């Protein structure tokens, strides 16, 4: 099966009982047993729900792994994955990970004895250097948010294998349409499905795919024990989103290329961050491990005032956190998604006050460029 076919025919199709083409929403918490333990595969919806199961089978197929899991948010998915570790274990993470990931590692999971070190994983030597006796996992986000740095997944997984560590990849920005980390050697891939996978700014969800039966058993145990599961309505909405993921990503990519070219040429724009640019420091790796570069662009307009001016003038770019939706979104990471990262740390990372991030949507690209143009030149 090729990629777009798998998005539509992967997992479980329809409902054999009725012939319904769409998987039904099983809005149910418990299941009748014909005698104690005599159930049909479902006992209680925290443990398993048929609609969620269909989504979990689908994400497993499109990421090319062994088992899939759906959670109530990307953060619930990340937390469950880190709960595979024990108190006293150490994780090496990408330094400009999603702000919420930084926060949960540094302010919540640290209290349960999980240690973390944040390094520039786009530099493989930094990963090697950060590995300690008690390191158990390498956690990579690539491309990163908001600077779109790229880590070589295959090489990072090779380092992990050498030290007997898990490789975990947050694949939210690339989506399973452009990048499949398990095929590159990762053990666990996860998504904030709130973004491209849902794609319509109407669901908060997280997805995980693991590459072995052992990890599947362990993660199912954590999922069932801690209970951060996704409900049936939202599971159904994600399956609906996934059907069009391919066409949405192709169209987003085309729009993004044109906007990048416009920004690169614009005198008000000091710097453009986009892995599809040949001048991007990790362009070659991005090209090698993903089939598309995605719809996220960050660019520096020089100052907070210039960023505010642009934000107040744009009509088609909605000022909002999040990304990956049909509507184009605009944000200033320093004061929004990355506000929970201390200012000094932001400065170290290059997340300046004039940095603007856009998530390119599916509007006509001429309108989007015109909108940015009037915003930058007002
Ligand atoms: C949004 C996001 C998350 C968190 O997901 P939620 O669904 O908001 O909990 C994690 N990683 C990345 C890269 C994200 O963009």
């Amino acid at each position: 099966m090729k990629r777009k076919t798998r998005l539509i025919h992967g997992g479980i199709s329809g409902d054999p009982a009725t012939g319904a083409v769409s998987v039904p929403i099983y809005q149910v918490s418990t299941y009748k047993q014909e005698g104690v333990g005599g159930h049909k595969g479902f006992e209680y919806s925290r443990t398993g729900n048929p609609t969620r199961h269909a989504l979990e089978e689908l994400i497993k197929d499109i990421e090319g792994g062994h088992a899939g899991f759906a959670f109530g948010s990307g953060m619930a998915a990340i937390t469950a994955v880190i709960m595979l570790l024990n108190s006293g274990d150490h994780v090496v993470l990408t330094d400009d990970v999603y702000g919420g990931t930084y926060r949960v590692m540094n302010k919540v999971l640290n209290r349960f004895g999980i240690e973390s070190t944040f390094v520039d994983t786009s530099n493989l030597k930094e990963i090697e250097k950060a590995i300690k006796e008690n390191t158990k996992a390498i956690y990579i986000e690539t491309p990163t948010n908001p600077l779109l740095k790229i880590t070589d997944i295959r090489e990072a997984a090779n380092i992990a294998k050498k030290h007997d560590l898990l490789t975990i990849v947050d694949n939210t920005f690339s989506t399973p349409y452009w990048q499949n980390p398990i095929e590159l050697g990762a053990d666990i891939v996860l998504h904030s499905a709130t973004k491209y996978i849902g794609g319509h700014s109407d669901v908060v969800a997280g997805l995980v795919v693991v590459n072995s039966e052992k990890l599947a058993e362990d993660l199912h145990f954590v999922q069932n024990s801690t209970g951060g599961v996704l409900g049936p309505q939202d599971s159904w909405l994600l399956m609906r989103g996934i059907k069009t993921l391919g066409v949405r990503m192709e169209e987003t990519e085309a729009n993004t290329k044109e906007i990048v070219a416009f920004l690169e040429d614009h005198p008000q724009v000091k710097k453009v961050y986009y892995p599809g640019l040949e001048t991007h420091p990790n362009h070659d790796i991005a090209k090698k491990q993903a089939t598309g570069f995605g719809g996220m662009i960050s660019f520096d307009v020089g100052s907070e005032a210039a960023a505010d001016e642009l934000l107040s003038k744009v009509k088609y770019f909605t000022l909002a956190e999040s990304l990956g939706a049909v509507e184009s979104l605009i944000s200033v990471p320093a004061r929004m998604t990355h506000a929970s990262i201390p200012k000094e740390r932001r400065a170290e990372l290059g997340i300046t006050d004039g940095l603007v991030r856009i998530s390119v949507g599916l509007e006509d690209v001429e309108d989007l460029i015109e909108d940015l143009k009037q915003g930058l030149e007002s």
Side-chain angles (χ1 to χ4, degrees):
M1 243 191 278
K2 293 218 181 346
R3 280 186 302 172
K4 282 195 196 118
T5 313
R6 204 180 314 138
L7 294 174
I8 291 162
H9 294 283
I12 292 168
S13 299
D15 176 30
T18 61
V21 169
S22 158
V23 173
I25 299 171
Y26 284 91
Q27 194 69 53
V28 59
S29 61
T30 192
Y31 305 79
K32 182 180 173 193
Q33 305 192 6
E34 306 292 343
V36 178
H39 58 77
K40 300 186 164 107
F42 296 97
E43 297 164 83
Y44 185 64
S45 281
R46 168 160 39 73
T47 315
N49 170 283
T51 314
R52 192 179 90 224
H53 177 64
L55 167 66
E56 293 176 332
E57 287 293 297
L58 180 57
I59 190 67
K60 172 199 81 180
D61 282 356
I62 66 182
E63 277 292 9
H66 184 80
F69 298 87
F71 292 89
S73 70
M75 289 319 305
I78 292 166
T79 303
V81 165
I82 300 298
M83 282 181 183
L84 292 170
L85 306 179
N86 295 306
S87 174
D89 288 351
H90 171 250
V91 190
V92 177
L93 297 98
T94 302
D95 58 3
D96 57 349
V97 279
Y98 178 71
T101 306
Y102 183 81
R103 183 173 56 197
V104 79
M105 296 303 296
N106 256 339
K107 297 233 193 271
V108 181
L109 294 167
N110 62 318
R111 294 195 279 111
F112 298 87
I114 307 271
E115 283 177 52
S116 39
T117 302
F118 294 84
V119 299
D120 180 357
T121 54
S122 69
N123 179 349
L124 297 164
K125 290 202 190 82
E126 295 269 314
I127 301 181
E128 287 267 19
K129 270 206 311 224
I131 295 172
K132 307 196 289 186
E133 196 105 310
N134 59 338
T135 305
K136 290 289 154 57
I138 298 175
Y139 181 109
I140 296 160
E141 193 176 311
T142 182
T144 61
N145 180 20
L147 295 175
L148 302 153
K149 284 200 290 197
I150 303 287
T151 295
D152 189 321
I153 298 172
R154 192 182 291 282
E155 290 303 325
N158 284 342
I159 294 172
K161 285 195 180 86
K162 213 169 64 189
H163 296 268
D164 211 14
L165 316 176
L166 287 175
T167 304
I168 305 165
V169 178
D170 182 334
N171 200 28
T172 301
F173 271 38
S174 276
T175 80
Y177 186 71
W178 293 136
Q179 181 169 281
N180 298 116
I182 286 178
E183 287 171 8
L184 298 165
D187 300 292
I188 302 178
V189 54
L190 58 89
H191 292 273
S192 168
T194 312
K195 317 296 166 53
Y196 288 106
I197 291 181
H200 295 73
S201 305
D202 50 15
V203 190
V204 172
L207 294 172
V208 182
V209 177
V210 301
N211 76 345
S212 73
E213 179 57 24
K214 171 82 174 82
L215 285 172
E217 279 172 16
D218 291 352
L219 190 60
H220 184 259
F221 188 80
V222 171
Q223 185 190 41
N224 189 40
S225 301
T226 59
V229 293
L230 190 66
Q233 292 268 355
D234 287 348
S235 295
W236 186 88
L237 278 167
L238 289 193
M239 285 189 279
R240 181 182 165 119
I242 287 170
K243 290 183 209 297
T244 58
L245 183 66
V247 287
R248 285 188 286 111
M249 293 315 289
E250 296 282 357
E251 189 74 7
T252 301
E253 188 88 358
N255 280 359
T256 305
K257 280 205 178 98
E258 290 194 40
I259 293 173
V260 166
F262 161 78
L263 291 170
E264 278 264 285
D265 271 351
H266 201 285
Q268 299 273 98
V269 177
K270 313 282 179 260
K271 190 169 164 78
V272 179
Y273 298 87
Y274 184 64
L277 284 170
E278 273 172 37
T279 52
H280 184 288
N282 308 118
H283 174 70
D284 289 343
I285 298 166
K287 222 162 89 176
K288 188 180 70 176
Q289 68 188 12
T291 44
F293 302 108
M296 300 302 300
I297 312 167
S298 289
F299 54 100
D300 203 322
V301 293
S303 68
E304 183 173 324
D308 275 343
E309 187 64 19
L310 173 63
L311 296 184
S312 70
K313 290 282 155 41
V314 286
K315 299 194 297 275
Y316 300 129
F317 286 85
T318 304
L319 175 62
E321 295 196 0
S322 200
L323 60 108
V326 291
E327 51 282 295
S328 293
L329 303 176
I330 191 163
S331 67
V332 280
R335 281 176 289 148
M336 295 172 71
T337 45
H338 289 63
S340 58
I341 296 178
K343 190 171 169 63
E344 313 81 67
R345 176 105 190 100
R346 283 203 305 268
E348 272 168 36
L349 298 172
I351 304 170
T352 59
D353 293 341
L355 190 76
V356 175
R357 188 190 81 173
I358 57 176
S359 167
V360 177
L362 301 181
E363 300 90 343
D364 275 306
V365 71
E366 293 80 4
D367 286 333
L368 295 178
I369 289 174
E370 190 51 45
D371 201 25
L372 289 171
K373 191 168 184 321
Q374 61 85 23
L376 286 165
E377 291 166 15
S378 65

